[in-house]
Amino acid sequence: MRAILSDIHANFAALEAVLDHATALGVTEFLCLGDVIGYNGQPEDCVRRLAQMGIVNILGNHDSYITTGQNCDRSKVVASIIDKHRDALSQDSVNWLMQSVDSVQEGETLFLHGGPNDHVDEYLYEVGPNTFPKAVQRLFAGHTHVQVRHDFGDKTFVNPGSVGQPRDGDPRAAYVVLDGETIQFQRVAYDIDRAVAA
């Protein structure tokens, strides 16, 4: 079984809860759809844990602010957080983020952070059959922080939701487990006060 994580956003309390939950389910492999850093208070801990576990990370827009040396031009608040995270991250963690991949394609399944037109920063708030690139039957994307599945005939779109900052009205950490062809949505309660304190 494989767990698909996304949008951890430096929330180490949520990440630990998700990793423990997935491991208890029998998950042996993990893939991250990006945005390990940003927003919350423990970027170094989150990057270090994923690196220690050998987890592949797909580059998210917040990750890219670190790897490119640029910053968010949409929000001064986000930009200031990225500056703090840049100071908080060790060189090893920056190097790990720089090894993030653009996407992962396995047969007819495509994993990315944003969308087919911009893998890093396209928000897929609306999806349909035309969203899928040629020869892709299953599309997994993060970025919107909303856990959702849509089926269009033989095509399936999945957003695993956000580990560290859900935006779908459910405060629990969100992720997805793939068990063969079966897609299982997961929600995990975690110590929010601990995340706030961090």
Side-chain angles (χ1 to χ4, degrees):
M1 288 194 294
R2 175 194 277 183
I4 310 300
L5 316 179
S6 191
D7 298 282
I8 297 164
H9 283 301
N11 188 335
F12 192 53
L15 176 60
E16 284 194 312
V18 164
L19 293 175
D20 288 346
H21 186 267
T23 301
L25 291 177
V27 167
T28 57
E29 186 179 353
F30 295 84
L31 176 65
C32 182
L33 303 189
D35 277 0
V36 181
I37 61 102
Y39 294 121
N40 288 291
Q42 294 181 279
E44 176 70 12
D45 295 301
C46 290
V47 171
R48 189 182 304 149
R49 177 60 58 84
L50 297 189
Q52 288 170 346
M53 295 179 66
I55 295 174
V56 171
N57 183 54
I58 295 171
L59 187 70
N61 58 307
H62 286 253
D63 305 328
S64 75
Y65 299 142
I66 297 296
T67 63
T68 64
Q70 299 176 3
N71 211 326
C72 180
D73 58 8
R74 291 191 293 250
S75 167
K76 291 180 180 179
V77 172
V78 170
S80 69
I81 292 169
I82 294 299
D83 286 339
K84 290 182 185 300
H85 284 193
R86 191 173 280 117
D87 291 340
L89 289 167
S90 66
Q91 189 58 51
D92 284 345
S93 290
V94 172
N95 292 343
W96 184 85
L97 286 171
M98 293 181 74
Q99 295 172 23
S100 300
V101 298
D102 175 72
S103 61
V104 172
Q105 184 151 4
E106 298 172 351
E108 297 178 328
T109 302
L110 177 63
F111 301 91
L112 40 75
H113 179 72
N117 298 312
D118 182 342
H119 290 184
V120 174
D121 205 18
E122 178 183 7
Y123 289 93
L124 294 180
Y125 289 119
E126 296 182 6
V127 295
N130 294 332
T131 304
F132 294 73
K134 186 178 179 180
V136 171
Q137 297 295 106
R138 293 202 307 179
L139 177 61
F140 289 78
H143 200 27
T144 67
H145 299 209
V146 175
Q147 190 179 64
V148 68
R149 172 180 178 161
H150 292 296
D151 293 299
F152 307 96
D154 59 354
K155 297 180 185 292
T156 300
F157 171 80
V158 175
N159 187 318
S162 172
V163 170
Q165 195 194 72
R167 296 177 186 166
D168 55 7
D170 186 336
R172 295 175 297 168
Y175 76 105
V176 161
V177 169
L178 296 183
D179 187 1
E181 295 299 309
T182 303
I183 299 166
Q184 304 169 358
F185 285 119
Q186 306 290 338
R187 299 305 287 241
V188 183
Y190 70 94
D191 188 345
I192 292 175
D193 289 339
R194 178 181 160 204
V196 171

